[in-house]
Amino acid sequence: MKSPLLALPGAVPAEGVDEDVAAHYGDLFREQRALADGTGFVDLSHRGVVAVTGEDRLSWLHLLLTQHVTDLPAGRATEALILSAHGHIEHALYLVDDGTTTWAHVEPGTQDALIAYLESMKFFYRVEVTDRTGDFAVVYLPAGSIAEVPEGVVVRETPYGRDLLLPRTDLESYAGKAGPAAGLLAHEALRVEHHRPRLGFETDHRTIPHELGWIGSAVHLQKGCYRGQETVARVQNLGKPPRRLVFLHLDGSEVHLPPRGAELRLAGDGPDGRKIGFITTAVRHHELGPIALALVKRNVPLDAPLLADTTAAAQEVVVEP
């Protein structure tokens, strides 16, 4: 759903799955600094919004998700995954329950497949699953923001900021009083800085939770009975995920950022050396310069300098090998 905020002065549309919201409004670093200082907002109205109602909603979701949600208190934010039978990540849900409804926002365009899966698992449980993307828009307020939250709006509060589920009809009017608009590129730069994975960016068809550090924040190790749990338990006990997420400082003299999928090699191996990983997200940060997240093979030395195509990169550990 194309955001009406693309009509704001200076708005430049994002690309790919994010094309329905603004990448920036004319000054990427100013927008990043505003968010880092706790001011402004980010339009995430292209994200899918799914609601689950019914008295069995939490106990039912507990059986399907990687997170422990049976006794999820009203207002407490959490994250959860849905895995394949082989433990590969299929969906990432950003959840909050308001006491009568469990709300989730998800990656743009993934809500239909998520709802189809949830509907197939209803059986005799007293639950209803509804696509509310057309009714609600996700708006991000950074940590420390003092922007007013309209009465009755569902809020997910996390250490990184607040996600508002705003009635879509109120999006334009709220933007006029929430402070300066920051584009998605500013939001992505802070996400990469905080080493936070994103479905479809840090994941591919064979990604498992341990590789991205999603254990703890989105996977509860003391519960079972969900699809893919055997893989999670096996990797947890053996401690050997095949790949690991790393944070990269990229050579700032390069004009262009390496694209997603750019091959990573050990710097000493030259351009034709063995591939040991790939870039997942590369951004320009207002303080750190060009940075990226990447997936590399587990046994890549922690201090090894890398090459992303022709761009030199130094790694920091996100997931221990």
Side-chain angles (χ1 to χ4, degrees), residues 124-153:
F124 54 84
Y125 289 94
R126 294 164 292 184
V127 293
E128 293 295 331
V129 182
T130 310
D131 183 355
R132 302 301 303 275
T133 308
D135 304 314
F136 291 92
V138 182
V139 172
Y140 167 79
L141 298 179
S145 171
I146 60 172
E148 180 183 353
V149 176
E151 185 176 354
V153 168

Side-chain angles (χ1 to χ4, degrees), residues 85-305:
H86 298 292
H88 301 138
I89 299 169
E90 293 190 343
H91 294 281
L93 294 79
Y94 299 84
L95 298 159
V96 67
D97 192 272
D98 66 7
T100 60
T101 302
T102 303
W103 298 88
H105 68 78
V106 298
E107 288 298 323
T110 65
Q111 63 269 21
D112 289 347
L114 171 62
I115 290 171
Y117 171 69
L118 294 177
E119 287 287 348
S120 74
M121 301 300 291
K122 283 170 64 171
F123 303 116
F124 54 84
Y125 289 94
R126 294 164 292 184
V127 293
E128 293 295 331
V129 182
T130 310
D131 183 355
R132 302 301 303 275
T133 308
D135 304 314
F136 291 92
V138 182
V139 172
Y140 167 79
L141 298 179
S145 171
I146 60 172
E148 180 183 353
V149 176
E151 185 176 354
V153 168
V154 175
V155 179
R156 286 189 73 254
E157 185 153 6
T158 76
Y160 305 101
R162 287 176 288 174
D163 300 331
L164 312 186
L165 298 183
L166 193 73
R168 193 168 287 273
T169 53
D170 295 342
L171 179 59
E172 288 184 88
S173 61
Y174 185 73
K177 50 192 175 186
L184 192 73
L185 289 181
H187 188 266
E188 285 289 276
L190 299 184
R191 178 180 72 81
V192 172
E193 177 191 6
H194 294 133
H195 308 163
R196 303 191 68 215
R198 182 179 172 191
L199 184 79
F201 288 69
E202 279 59 58
T203 67
D204 57 21
H205 66 283
R206 59 192 180 95
T207 306
I208 61 175
H210 283 83
E211 294 177 325
L212 303 185
W214 248 327
I215 301 300
S217 64
V219 179
H220 194 289
L221 293 174
Q222 303 306 314
K223 68 167 295 243
C225 301
Y226 58 88
R227 191 174 66 176
Q229 185 265 340
E230 294 84 356
T231 297
V232 171
R234 182 170 63 251
V235 175
Q236 180 67 20
N237 292 330
L238 295 177
K240 293 184 178 181
R243 303 177 296 182
R244 58 184 178 86
L245 187 69
V246 295
F247 176 79
L248 300 178
H249 292 274
L250 302 174
D251 181 359
S253 66
E254 295 286 346
V255 175
H256 300 290
L257 291 171
R260 183 180 190 275
E263 294 185 350
L264 282 171
R265 293 176 170 81
L266 297 177
D269 290 348
D272 297 322
R274 180 173 59 93
K275 177 183 175 182
I276 52 86
F278 63 94
I279 296 289
T280 59
T281 305
V283 297
R284 297 192 187 277
H285 191 277
H286 70 287
E287 289 183 338
L288 301 175
I291 56 176
L293 294 175
L295 276 175
V296 301
K297 293 182 177 180
R298 177 179 56 85
N299 58 359
V300 172
L302 299 180
D303 58 350

Side-chain angles (χ1 to χ4, degrees), residues 48-65:
V49 177
V50 177
V52 182
T53 56
E55 55 187 288
D56 293 337
R57 67 189 183 284
L58 290 176
S59 58
W60 175 68
L61 286 169
H62 184 80
L63 298 174
L64 305 177
L65 305 180

